Amino acid sequence: MNPFTYARPGGAGEAVEAVTADPGACFLAGGTNLVDHLKLGVASPTALVDVRGAVDDTIEESPDGGVRIGAGVTNSDLAAHPVIRRSYPVLSSALLAGASGQLRNMATTGGNLLQRTRCVYFQDVTTPCNKREPGSGCSALEGHGRDNAVLGTSEQCVATHPSDMAVGLLVLDAVVVVLGPSGERRVPLADLHRLPGAEPERDTVLERGELITAVELPAPLAEGRGAYRKVRDRASYAFALVSVAALVHVRGDRITEARIALGGVAHAPWRARRTEAALEGRPLTEAGLRVAAEAELARARPGKDNAFKVPLAVNTCTAVLRDLTGVGS
Amino acid sequence: MDSTITLTVDGERRELTVDTRTTLLDALRDRLGVYAPKKGCDHGQCGSCTVLMEDRRVLACLSLAVAHDGARVTTAAGLGDGDELHPVAGAFLDEDAFQCGYCTPGQICSAVGMLSEVASGWLSHVTEDPEGPVEATDAEIRERMSGNLCRCGAYPHIVAAIRRAAP
Ligand SMILES: Cc1cc2nc3c(=O)[nH]c(=O)nc-3n(C[C@H](O)[C@H](O)[C@H](O)COP(=O)(O)OP(=O)(O)OC[C@H]3O[C@@H](n4cnc5c(N)ncnc54)[C@H](O)[C@@H]3O)c2cc1C
Ligand code: SF4
Ligand code: FES
Ligand code: FES
């Protein structure tokens, strides 16, 4: 591990300045991803700027009926918060499906969004990886490919984004509040994570020195029902092969609003707009739910080891929609 | 780069100078001689380094010591009251909840943290009725303890011990 300095600024502005001024600096939050990367040599900053004293760690209800979550709120406090449990249960469920009790006590909202891929080659510095070392090649294309993405991949990178929380937040239309060297901006979560394209080294649209200070949720969907379902190799404590977050509003025999997101299938948490469009306003039938799920996955381009993810995503999405709407039961 | 920090470990205030790269786990074991937390994987995957930080269970191997200056840390060795074993530790003995014992201090700290999470009404991934009371059933114990691996496979006895210790 390279030597580094450690600082704990007391305010967000100071933290942004510290990282902007020093090209070797990076933010540290709960450390559950970054400290691992320091050990593995995946990250080698020369200065760590601890943000835990600089960003808010409280959850506030906002006047418009929504919620503002400080970037320093831990995953366990967020999942346990009465307002989140009552009004945004899909977020609680997504959080509780991730990692372990110990890790959720450490991991923060900001850090969870910006955790990096679990691609085994990204984490192994002895292998080529375009994300870690641009231009070196992608070992996952020919190598172990079971965990790879099936949607929105590029020739340069087929990694997935590992967060469960982000998939839950995506159906809640969350907005990420970012403080940078030139002030504050708001980025819809749907625009935060990039697809790999020709620049897989860039996970998100954030620029150097930009600090996530909060995540804002609009007022909950009235009478909407939500669910998060995660499919993995073990019953617990494993990353998603595929996950589905869904929020639907049903009136009579029709879905009036559907918001669906998929995890484990792409470089970003993936909003299934085609599934949503195929559901909204149509009569509810079990076949219709499946056709809608298939509409999103029709664009899937799996590799040699992960074709199973396509039917798995279709089946999981269909099952979640069936549970939420009561169709076919 | 060195930094001087203070930790309260198992009730005792300790001051030490650490390289900023030192994890809490290495500080405890190599610098302070507190050997209860174990190094299994050193990457957050096994739970054998679990300690309580301000009464919450965390992984010492993914915590940098400098980032926890001033913290109160409790390891499995500091849970008891004098010669009295902590009830969770006692239940591990009564139920024979280990073989080699390597994962045990982490299991015990994790169980103590987990039982207080249950007492606070925190839900888990397997909680069937979010509105109902939260209890330490076998299914809940298994899910909530999934971050602690046991290479000896003592899981059934670990679950029994925690069930016995649960209020
Ligand atoms: C064994 C294991 C299993 C896991 N399983 C799961 C799982 O099943 N599901 C899941 O979703 N996750 C899982 N995780 C990942 C875990 O959720 C993340 O590591 C965690 O959420 C990261 O948050 P953190 O606060 O610890 O971030 P850190 O490790 O401190 O930081 C992560 C990154 O974010 C940057 N950063 C942190 N905060 C900010 C901020 N406010 N603004 C800008 N940049 C910031 C840091 O510079 C760093 O690059 C697992 C992790 C481990 C070790
Ligand atoms: S998939 Fe992406 S992260 Fe994995 S080896 Fe290829 S370039 Fe690296
Ligand atoms: S040694 Fe910390 S989790 Fe394995
Ligand atoms: S008792 Fe040996 S690893 Fe658990």
Side-chain angles (χ1 to χ4, degrees):
Chain A
M1 212 188 288
N2 285 342
F4 50 77
T5 58
Y6 170 85
R8 187 160 191 174
E14 225 183 298
V16 170
E17 265 171 45
V19 168
T20 310
D22 177 356
C26 86
F27 297 122
L28 167 74
T32 60
N33 195 215
L34 184 58
V35 173
D36 197 16
H37 284 170
L38 297 175
K39 295 183 187 190
L40 294 167
V42 170
S44 38
T46 51
L48 290 188
V49 177
D50 193 335
V51 304
R52 285 169 313 150
V55 295
D56 196 25
D57 63 357
T58 61
I59 300 169
E60 311 284 348
E61 290 179 85
S62 44
D64 64 355
V67 161
R68 181 185 161 97
I69 303 160
V73 174
T74 64
N75 287 181
S76 44
D77 282 328
L78 185 56
H81 195 273
V83 174
I84 303 300
R85 278 174 58 168
R86 184 179 65 240
S87 304
Y88 306 96
V90 65
L91 176 55
S92 272
S93 303
L95 284 158
L96 294 172
S100 66
Q102 292 96 313
L103 286 159
R104 291 192 297 271
N105 280 342
M106 304 168 73
T108 63
T109 307
N112 189 309
L113 287 176
L114 298 183
Q115 63 174 301
R116 309 210 64 195
T117 183
R118 305 302 290 199
C119 172
V120 290
Y121 304 104
F122 175 72
Q123 297 181 85
D124 176 354
V125 295
T126 64
T127 58
C129 165
N130 286 326
K131 185 182 278 299
R132 188 169 25 75
E133 215 182 308
S136 62
C138 171
S139 303
L141 286 176
E142 296 304 320
H144 173 84
R146 203 164 164 271
D147 299 324
N148 294 352
V150 295
L151 287 163
T153 56
S154 75
E155 276 167 26
Q156 273 73 44
C157 179
V158 291
T160 57
H161 192 265
S163 169
D164 291 294
M165 180 191 80
V167 182
L169 283 174
L170 196 55
V171 295
L172 297 171
D173 285 342
V175 174
V176 181
V177 186
V178 178
L179 185 69
S182 47
E184 187 174 274
R185 64 177 177 132
R186 284 180 159 64
V187 183
L189 179 63
D191 300 336
L192 180 72
H193 297 96
R194 296 176 65 258
L195 291 180
E199 285 178 297
E201 68 278 14
R202 292 186 59 210
D203 292 353
T204 69
V205 299
L206 297 188
E207 301 293 340
R208 247 201 78 69
E210 282 194 314
L211 174 73
I212 297 181
T213 55
V215 172
E216 293 176 342
L217 303 183
L221 191 60
E223 296 165 54
R225 297 195 57 205
Y228 185 75
R229 185 140 163 195
K230 177 175 179 180
V231 184
R232 42 187 156 172
D233 284 332
R234 297 191 292 233
S236 184
Y237 203 25
F239 287 92
L241 290 167
V242 161
S243 72
V244 176
L247 203 54
V248 296
H249 184 247
V250 180
R251 183 155 297 154
D253 68 343
R254 274 158 220 267
I255 291 184
T256 48
E257 184 164 359
R259 299 196 207 147
I260 294 156
L262 307 176
V265 295
H267 193 259
W270 188 271
R271 186 79 182 253
R273 302 268 182 203
R274 283 160 205 236
T275 302
E276 295 174 3
L279 290 169
E280 283 171 358
R282 307 270 174 89
L284 273 171
T285 63
E286 192 171 357
L289 300 181
R290 177 167 294 277
V291 168
E294 283 166 352
E296 194 67 42
L297 274 302
R299 290 184 289 167
R301 297 285 172 271
K304 62 180 177 41
D305 296 332
N306 63 349
F308 74 94
K309 281 195 178 186
V310 177
L312 188 60
V314 169
N315 291 344
T316 309
C317 187
T318 309
V320 167
L321 290 169
R322 216 193 292 130
D323 287 351
L324 286 176
T325 59
V327 164
S329 61
Chain B
M1 271 151 251
D2 286 349
S3 178
T4 299
I5 61 168
T6 310
L7 296 171
T8 301
V9 181
D10 295 337
E12 204 182 318
R13 224 179 110 90
R14 313 280 297 261
E15 195 182 276
L16 69 164
T17 300
V18 290
D19 185 289
T20 48
R21 291 170 287 185
T22 313
T23 61
L24 177 61
L25 180 60
D26 289 342
L28 288 170
R29 292 181 56 87
D30 302 344
R31 299 295 311 287
L32 299 177
V34 178
Y35 297 115
K38 300 289 184 282
K39 186 180 284 192
C41 64
D42 213 23
H43 291 283
Q45 299 178 351
C46 74
S48 69
C49 65
T50 305
V51 297
L52 299 170
M53 190 178 291
E54 317 300 344
D55 300 324
R56 285 203 176 181
R57 50 177 175 160
V58 298
L59 301 177
C61 74
L62 292 185
S63 305
L64 290 176
V66 275
H68 297 282
D69 185 14
R72 183 167 55 84
V73 178
T74 308
T75 73
L79 282 171
D81 188 3
D83 285 341
E84 279 292 299
L85 280 181
H86 186 279
V88 172
F92 268 66
L93 280 177
D94 292 341
E95 293 290 344
D96 197 15
F98 47 83
Q99 286 184 41
C100 76
Y102 197 80
C103 71
T104 313
Q107 300 277 4
I108 289 174
C109 282
S110 187
V112 171
M114 180 275 264
L115 289 172
S116 79
E117 292 165 10
V118 170
S120 306
W122 287 14
L123 304 181
S124 86
H125 177 63
V126 300
T127 309
E128 275 173 22
D129 176 11
E131 311 299 327
V134 181
E135 283 164 0
T137 60
D138 286 7
E140 288 280 0
I141 293 169
R142 281 193 209 100
E143 161 60 25
R144 291 172 190 261
M145 292 295 293
S146 69
N148 290 84
L149 307 190
C150 173
R151 288 305 302 269
C152 299
Y155 297 112
H157 289 213
I158 293 170
V159 172
I162 297 172
R163 196 194 316 119
R164 177 193 277 254

